[in-house]
Amino acid sequence: QLPLVESGGGLVQPGGSLRLSCAASGFTLDYYVIAWFRQAPGKEREGVSCINGYGTTNYADSVKGRFTMSKDNAKNAVTLQMNSLKPEDTGVYYCARGDRATCGSSWYPVVNEYDYWGQGTQVTVSS
């Protein structure tokens, strides 16, 4: 069983909404930082949002006010609610477990601080 499995991607028009989910297995979310990253064609993977064991979240400037990350401890899963989507939000979205990452009032996402990654889910924002 894969440790992280994403779902919820798809095609949406600009201004629309999508909700991504990431189900974890084999470990408890509360003990780790969990983050969403995305990667557009020809671009580097970039951090989108993070949440720590206390429920503190942080977001990339490009998505602040539009995206909301939350955690469901009963389901051992995290979600990413994405509103007011823009074409530049298009990409493959990955959730990742941070074994050396921090997430607090500031956040500097570094890919190699995350040890487990999901398989990714495609988000396409286009009219």
Side-chain angles (χ1 to χ4, degrees):
Q1 194 170 8
L2 297 175
L4 293 169
V5 178
E6 304 98 335
S7 61
L11 171 65
V12 64
Q13 292 186 340
S17 298
L18 279 175
R19 185 178 179 87
L20 306 183
S21 294
C22 173
S25 61
F27 68 95
T28 301
L29 288 178
D30 272 353
Y31 297 154
Y32 297 90
V33 166
I34 304 297
W36 286 98
F37 287 76
R38 67 186 180 190
Q39 189 165 19
K43 294 188 176 181
E44 292 187 355
R45 195 167 296 189
E46 63 173 353
V48 174
S49 65
C50 66
I51 190 166
N52 66 19
Y54 299 103
T56 301
T57 55
N58 209 323
Y59 301 88
D61 288 342
S62 59
V63 306
K64 281 181 181 176
R66 300 187 297 121
F67 290 12
T68 302
M69 185 173 183
S70 60
K71 184 163 50 175
D72 186 335
N73 288 328
K75 295 182 179 179
N76 206 36
V78 296
T79 61
L80 183 67
Q81 177 67 43
M82 306 186 295
N83 299 326
S84 303
L85 283 161
K86 304 175 181 180
E88 51 264 43
D89 294 318
T90 294
V92 179
Y93 282 67
Y94 302 89
C95 64
R97 186 185 83 167
D99 62 336
R100 290 175 288 146
T102 59
C103 175
S105 57
S106 60
W107 181 45
Y108 305 100
V110 177
V111 168
N112 63 13
E113 292 181 345
Y114 294 80
D115 58 348
Y116 285 155
W117 294 79
Q119 81 286 357
T121 185
Q122 176 70 45
V123 171
T124 303
V125 185
S126 174
S127 54

